[in-house]
Amino acid sequence: MIPAILPTYNRAPLSFERGEGAWLWTEDGTRYLDMGAGIAVNALGHAHPALVEALTDQAGRLWHVSNLYDIPHQRRLAGMLVEHTFADTCFFTNSGTEALELAVKMARKHFAARGADRHRIVTVEGAFHGRSIAAISAAGAPKMTEGFGPLLPGFTQIRWGDHDALAATMADDVAAILVEPVQGEGGIRALPEACLRGLRDLADRHGALLILDEVQCGMGRTGRLFAHEWAGIVPDIMMVAKGIGGGFPLGAVLAREAAAAGMTAGTHGSTYGGNPLACAVGARVMEVITAEGFLDRVNAVAARFRAGLETLSSAHPQVFGEVRGRGLMLGLKARAPNTEIVSRAYAQHLLTVPAGDNVVRLLPPLVIGDAEVDEALGRLDAAAAAIARAA
Ligand SMILES: *Cc1c(COP(=O)(O)O)cnc(C)c1O
């Protein structure tokens, strides 16, 4: 019999009752160290006092009015995003997938509004952009698309690192190049900074737009507010979600004025997108992440984590390979099956997240301290030792 919850997830037999910072408690009081942060969502950890205050304060005033009216928190959050990024304008969504939908629509409309027939979007193999038909068509991986056809036409996937194929596909019908600066689901694969700059140049030379999916790698995750800042380039359109709501469902599309030129009144909408609860929390998340010294602290703790992971990996060469990623978006290439490592880590009361390419992801809350990093390393070491003993 089919379970009451559609069985599309392989869930661990774990259930949590409350959280604080980087820690979660099950109902029987067992404490777990959270190095997954709800898949890079709980950027400020669990039950951050400033976020609890922002949400409960708004909850006592007003939950929802729709985008037929001005929403002060939404305006405030958009102002902060515009101030701190390349963007001139924002649209709020409830998820990363919805951000993808708008990014695709915006790129196509940008050209259509000028009478140009350019609609194709070039993406990279191993990408993840969400689970809607447009998002799976964009990523193109059979494990996501099989049985869901017909897919949306107009996407071309290029193999990772295949510069010749990329150059060859850049024809006059290409509206945009769409990439994650650091692939998350694909296995914490960071595009080298030179490649990101190369993509910016390529898009410019062809008059195409550059869309960055920073749903997972944005909002301070890599140690800069957005990952593309490391490469010194700016996109035309950027998708944001996950960390921006700190656990409250919220996403956004940020864009330069020219890129957004086709998006006039009536061309797009969302009933819930940017509602008062989500934006009250989102604005507080932005305040904390952009406060003086916050990202310096992320970079310092990330350096400690990375050095520890390198040591760990050398100590267990039969279990772990290379360390990947940037900031607190880290991955351990696994030599044992990554799912086995994740299960062994559960036994050590440590939460990690598997990714593609047999990688174990470490995406802790950005507020973790040195002691928690050391604790996580110790638990990973114990999990690896258990795998070695069992082998
Ligand atoms: C999670 C993710 C998405 C989809 O976001 P949802 O909120 O699950 O719809 C899109 N792109 C990237 C890079 C992601 O990590």
Side-chain angles (χ1 to χ4, degrees), residues 95-97 128-130 180 213 215-216 242:
S95 68
T97 303
F128 182 80
H129 300 299
E180 296 156 83
D213 181 345
V215 167
Q216 193 161 150
K242 293 201 164 91

Side-chain angles (χ1 to χ4, degrees), residues 54-136:
L55 182 63
T56 51
D57 179 66
Q58 187 58 43
R61 295 166 192 274
L62 189 64
W63 290 18
H64 180 82
V65 292
S66 90
N67 286 301
L68 297 176
Y69 312 102
D70 172 53
I71 300 173
H73 282 308
Q74 186 183 121
R75 206 161 9 89
R76 200 160 64 85
L77 176 55
M80 281 191 272
L81 288 167
V82 164
E83 182 193 334
H84 287 279
T85 70
F86 69 93
D88 302 309
T89 187
C90 311
F91 182 95
F92 294 101
T93 67
N94 308 289
S95 68
T97 303
E98 289 167 82
L100 176 281
E101 293 286 334
L102 173 55
V104 169
K105 285 177 69 175
M106 186 183 282
R108 289 182 171 179
K109 191 76 164 183
H110 168 83
F111 290 103
R114 301 194 306 191
D117 181 21
R118 298 179 72 146
H119 61 271
R120 198 151 57 89
I121 295 181
V122 177
T123 65
V124 180
E125 159 256 321
F128 182 80
H129 300 299
R131 296 291 199 153
S132 66
I133 290 286
I136 64 175

Side-chain angles (χ1 to χ4, degrees), residues 334-386:
R335 299 235 165 93
N338 61 350
T339 48
E340 186 187 350
I341 296 172
V342 170
S343 311
R344 294 280 184 181
Y346 288 146
Q348 301 297 325
H349 299 166
L350 177 73
L351 306 183
T352 61
V353 185
D357 203 22
N358 202 34
V359 162
V360 176
R361 265 182 288 182
L362 299 154
L363 309 161
L366 305 181
V367 296
I368 52 159
D370 291 352
E372 288 153 341
V373 163
D374 295 349
E375 187 62 41
L377 289 166
R379 292 179 189 209
L380 277 170
D381 184 64

